[in-house]
């Protein structure tokens, strides 16, 4: 049957009211939601929560598979493999993917600056015959998953025998590192097991080049975020020192302490990259996933109650400063440790430290989860507890600053050892969720969608709707829609959309005026009330639509 319609005067009045009452983009976090803080909500079904998994391409960890490289239908196989990972993300009610597109100073897109990645074809620099990044972004958006492009800024090669090691001649022909060997160093030294090549972060031309290479993808593709992991200066190997004596002498910028200079080199990378992203596309988010310990409180009173390695010292990453200076939009510390008596790095000690670190800033906190450790005997008895990961997510609820999780990595999430994935998904991801809004990013007000028709059909209930004045004048453009369903035909009131208890799906906006979606979970003969909201690409939400009823 047709949905209940508003009269023309009512529609006009409601739309004008939306323009007056829509919260501006500079409002406090969460203020763009359609409900107020006075509504009781269920912490097990949060309305907003960032949920993602890392999809690693380096050494074919997650995607594409090594086997796909020699398949006669390589492109089709690789596309199918990626769709299967997105199927997994959808089943788990994730709302984003973090995909590694520049693993070793190479590219999963036709870059004018760097060679094709060997992880596509097995051959360094070989054209794969298609544009993987375009496909990855489009296919993710088709599922209404945010696409965060994961770049490794300085790593040039992986160790031999699988990688080029420290041998420049083993890189792809025409590789920038071969053209500028002075831009690189080997660490540990050539001839030592595990040696690989890095771009030297202390050389200004290098910092400019890697930003240019990464910004090519930002400018040309419709990505939602730029993501760095924890590789800046190399992690220490034995007693070997990073060979940057000459670089420090030539480019010290007045620094007399080399450790401070190295940290400043990475600070400049982060600060400059953020500025370039926002200048090109202000809506693109910038996030970093650092090693989980900034400093121990024995070394710095501002540090955490831990005794493990410190990113500030070992990889020159002053992650706390990046948060306090708001050079990033989100931070995903890799808290790959268990809850328990582990003084070096207890998960239960680090979560509150990171929560305190982001408090009062606009930087959002998501936690990096070690799905790869679950059920693996190599990591000890705590990781034989099938509830360990779910317990992490339960602990997170005590800290409102924690706004999501990213799981490492996709194949480990799929492996579901001990049934751990099933447990945390059932207890924490039982309903869809919107990504957290970022009110500091530019936004325009959105009108609510208008449902034009509801139809009971064999495969469920079909909803059709339109977005009034989409992108017109001072109004924003709807990127996606949230669909809420309520039993019966009594309007739910203002608290009905306060959490995700009634959120049945989110869908990507499609070109053209009329949008459509089928609720395949609707039970035959049952009465329902639907309400929709529109969301822009920063997940700011419109007011709810007038209710649409299904009577039979």
């Amino acid at each position: 049957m047709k949905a209940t319609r508003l009269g023309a005067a009512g529609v006009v009045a409601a739309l004008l009211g939306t323009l007056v009452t829509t919260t501006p983009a500079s409002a406090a976090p969460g203020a763009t939601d359609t409900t107020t803080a006075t509504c009781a909500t269920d912490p097990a079904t949060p309305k907003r929560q960032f949920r993602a998994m890392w999809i690693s391409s380096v050494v074919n960890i997650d995607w594409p598979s090594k086997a796909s490289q020699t398949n006669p239908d390589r492109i089709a196989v690789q596309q199918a493999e990626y769709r299967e990972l997105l199927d997994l993300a959808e089943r788990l009610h994730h709302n984003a993917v973090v995909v590694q597109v520049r693993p070793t100073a190479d590219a999963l897109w036709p870059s004018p600056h760097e060679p094709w990645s060997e992880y596509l074809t097995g051959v360094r620099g070989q054209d794969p015959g298609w544009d993987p990044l375009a496909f990855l972004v489009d296919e993710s958006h088709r599922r209404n998953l945010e696409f965060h492009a994961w770049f490794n800024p300085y790593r040039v090669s992986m160790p031999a025998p699988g990688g080029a090691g420290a041998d420049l001649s083993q890189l792809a022909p025409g590789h920038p590192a071969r053209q500028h060997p002075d831009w690189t160093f080997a660490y540990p030294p050539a001839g030592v097991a595990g040696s690989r090549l890095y771009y030297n972060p202390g050389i200004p031309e290098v910092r400019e080049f890697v930003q240019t290479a990464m910004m090519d993808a930002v400018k040309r593709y419709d990505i939602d975020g730029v993501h760095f992991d924890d590789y800046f200066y190399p992690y220490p190997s034995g007693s070997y020192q990073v060979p940057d004596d000459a670089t420090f002498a030539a480019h010290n910028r007045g620094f007399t302490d080399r450790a401070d200079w190295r940290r400043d080199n990475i600070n400049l990378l982060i600060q400059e990259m953020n500025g370039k992203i926002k200048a090109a596309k202000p809506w693109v988010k910038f996030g970093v996933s650092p090693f989980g310990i900034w400093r121990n409180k024995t070394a710095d009173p501002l540090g955490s109650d831990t005794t493990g390695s410190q990113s500030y010292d070992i990889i020159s990453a002053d992650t706390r400063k990046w948060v306090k200076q708001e050079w990033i939009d989100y931070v995903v510390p890799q808290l790959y440790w268990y809850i328990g008596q582990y003084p070096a790095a207890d998960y239960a000690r680090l979560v509150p430290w990171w929560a305190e670190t982001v408090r009062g800033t606009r930087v959002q906190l998501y936690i990096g989860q070690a799905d790869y450790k679950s059920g693996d005997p190599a990591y000890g008895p705590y990781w034989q507890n099938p509830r360990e990961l779910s317990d992490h997510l339960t602990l997170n609820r005590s800290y409102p600053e924690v706004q999501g999780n990213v799981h490492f990595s996709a194949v480990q999430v799929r492996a579901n050892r001990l049934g751990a994935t099933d447990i945390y998904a059932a207890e924490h991801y039982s309903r869809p969720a919107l990504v957290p809004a970022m009110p500091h990013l530019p936004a325009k007000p959105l009108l609510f969608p208008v449902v034009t028709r509801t139809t009971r059909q064999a495969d469920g209930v079909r909803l059709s709707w339109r977005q009034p004045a989409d992108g017109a004048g001072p109004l924003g453009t709807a990127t996606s829609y949230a669909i809420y369903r309520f039993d019966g035909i009594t309007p739910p009131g203002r608290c009905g959309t306060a959490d995700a208890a009634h959120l049945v799906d989110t869908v990507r906006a499609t070109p053209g005026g009329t949008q459509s979606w089928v609720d395949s979970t609707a039970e035959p003969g049952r009465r329902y009330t639907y309400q929709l909201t529109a969301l822009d690409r920063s997940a700011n939400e419109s007011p709810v639509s007038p209710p649409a009823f299904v009577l039979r």
Side-chain angles (χ1 to χ4, degrees):
M1 63 173 294
K2 293 184 178 180
T4 301
R5 298 173 183 265
L6 285 176
V11 171
V12 171
L15 298 187
L16 290 175
T18 298
L19 285 174
V20 172
T21 61
T22 299
T23 305
S26 59
T32 52
D33 283 352
T34 58
T35 55
T36 69
T38 59
C39 297
T41 59
D42 184 350
T45 57
K47 178 170 179 171
R48 292 185 182 270
Q49 186 178 58
F50 191 84
R51 301 172 184 167
M53 55 189 177
W54 279 290
I55 300 178
S56 303
S57 59
V58 67
V59 300
N60 302 102
I61 291 175
D62 294 306
W63 182 89
S65 70
K66 186 77 171 176
S68 72
Q69 295 172 350
T70 55
N71 193 292
D73 297 319
R74 173 177 47 81
I75 296 174
V77 168
Q78 291 181 352
Q79 291 181 348
E81 289 177 346
Y82 187 71
R83 290 190 181 101
E84 289 174 1
L85 294 178
L86 297 188
D87 289 344
L88 173 65
E90 284 192 301
R91 287 198 301 274
L92 297 175
H93 290 144
H94 285 192
N95 47 34
V97 287
V98 183
V99 184
Q100 192 173 34
V101 300
R102 186 181 181 267
T104 53
D106 51 9
L108 269 68
W109 74 96
S111 169
H113 306 289
E114 295 184 302
W116 281 105
S117 176
E118 65 186 280
Y119 305 118
L120 294 167
T121 64
V123 179
R124 295 176 194 121
Q126 183 176 97
D127 189 334
W130 62 305
D131 186 342
L133 183 52
F135 170 81
L136 299 174
V137 173
D138 290 348
E139 198 66 22
S140 302
H141 285 170
R142 197 184 315 277
R143 317 291 188 99
N144 201 34
L145 296 166
E146 280 197 343
F147 186 92
H148 291 238
W150 168 14
F151 303 89
N152 190 288
Y154 291 125
R155 182 172 60 201
V156 175
S157 66
M158 295 298 287
D167 189 349
L168 283 163
S169 69
Q170 295 300 306
L171 299 176
H175 195 294
R178 296 180 68 169
Q179 298 173 350
H180 302 278
D182 55 310
W183 284 5
T184 70
F185 59 74
Y187 188 85
V192 175
S195 180
R196 66 184 78 182
L197 293 167
Y198 294 86
Y199 280 129
N200 189 335
I203 299 175
E205 293 83 0
V206 166
R207 192 173 70 249
E208 179 65 26
F209 170 76
V210 299
Q211 291 178 35
T212 298
M214 294 184 288
M215 284 302 300
D216 179 65
V218 176
K219 292 175 180 177
R220 292 170 55 197
Y221 296 87
D222 189 25
I223 67 174
D224 301 290
V226 169
H227 184 94
F228 288 175
D229 56 18
D230 57 322
Y231 286 93
F232 298 103
Y233 275 88
Y235 279 91
S237 178
S239 60
Y240 298 111
Q241 301 299 308
V242 171
D244 59 358
D245 290 351
T247 309
F248 182 54
H251 303 290
N252 58 58
R253 299 187 302 280
F255 280 91
T256 56
D257 182 275
R258 191 179 313 201
D260 289 340
W261 168 73
R262 287 178 180 166
R263 278 186 288 273
D264 193 61
N265 291 333
I266 306 304
N267 289 345
L268 287 171
L269 170 74
I270 299 298
Q271 185 179 18
E272 292 170 358
M273 191 68 188
N274 181 57
K276 289 181 178 179
I277 293 167
K278 295 303 188 286
K281 292 183 176 180
W283 59 88
V284 171
K285 305 168 187 178
F286 181 34
V288 178
S289 177
F291 181 76
I293 299 174
W294 170 69
R295 299 200 87 186
N296 302 313
K297 68 178 183 180
T298 53
D300 190 313
L302 297 174
S304 51
D305 185 15
T306 49
T307 61
S309 298
Q310 307 169 112
S311 67
Y312 181 93
D313 300 286
I314 65 170
I315 56 173
S316 306
D318 191 354
T319 54
R320 183 179 183 275
K321 183 170 187 173
W322 307 343
V323 171
K324 295 302 185 182
Q325 294 294 322
E326 298 181 337
W327 291 338
I328 53 179
D329 298 304
Y330 68 87
V331 65
V332 193
Q334 297 173 24
L335 302 191
Y336 293 170
W337 301 288
Y338 55 79
I339 298 171
Q341 299 303 312
Y342 185 49
D346 184 342
Y347 184 91
R349 295 180 181 182
L350 281 162
V351 168
W353 185 88
W354 280 101
E356 172 62 28
T357 297
V358 303
R359 194 170 298 145
T361 75
R362 67 189 190 192
V363 178
Q364 294 185 355
L365 173 61
Y366 318 141
I367 305 297
Q369 300 292 344
D371 288 53
Y372 72 97
K373 289 187 175 181
S374 182
D376 188 334
Y379 295 107
Y382 280 90
W383 289 103
Q384 298 309 302
N385 174 8
R387 297 196 52 80
E388 180 67 29
L389 288 170
S390 189
D391 289 347
H392 289 195
L393 274 57
T394 299
L395 186 149
N396 291 356
R397 291 180 187 171
S398 300
Y399 300 91
E401 294 82 7
V402 179
Q403 297 190 55
N405 299 277
V406 186
H407 298 265
F408 189 82
S409 64
V411 295
Q412 306 296 337
V413 172
R414 183 170 60 193
N416 191 26
R417 285 186 298 273
L418 307 177
T421 302
D422 290 342
I423 293 171
Y424 72 67
E427 296 182 354
H428 300 278
Y429 300 163
S430 65
R431 307 294 298 176
L434 311 180
V435 298
M438 290 189 174
H440 66 277
L441 299 182
K444 296 179 179 180
L446 289 167
L447 301 182
F448 55 73
V450 176
V451 179
T452 58
R453 186 177 180 85
T454 62
T455 307
R456 176 78 74 175
Q457 52 192 48
D459 57 348
V461 171
R462 178 174 294 279
L463 300 181
S464 298
W465 66 92
R466 296 181 66 87
Q467 182 62 27
D470 194 25
L475 297 176
T477 299
T479 300
S480 62
Y481 298 92
I483 303 169
Y484 301 88
R485 186 186 72 194
F486 306 89
D487 291 336
I489 55 172
T490 301
R494 66 181 181 85
C495 289
T497 59
D499 61 18
H502 299 283
L503 180 63
V504 289
D505 204 357
T506 67
V507 297
R508 200 75 175 180
T510 56
T514 300
Q515 310 289 308
S516 183
W517 170 85
V518 174
D519 182 3
S520 60
T521 65
E523 298 179 17
R526 191 164 185 174
R527 294 183 171 190
Y528 293 112
T529 300
Y530 291 90
Q531 288 190 293
L532 278 65
T533 59
L535 297 103
D536 65 16
R537 68 174 308 141
S538 295
N540 298 297
E541 189 176 31
S542 76
V544 295
S545 70
F549 304 110
V550 176
L551 301 180
R552 64 177 189 272

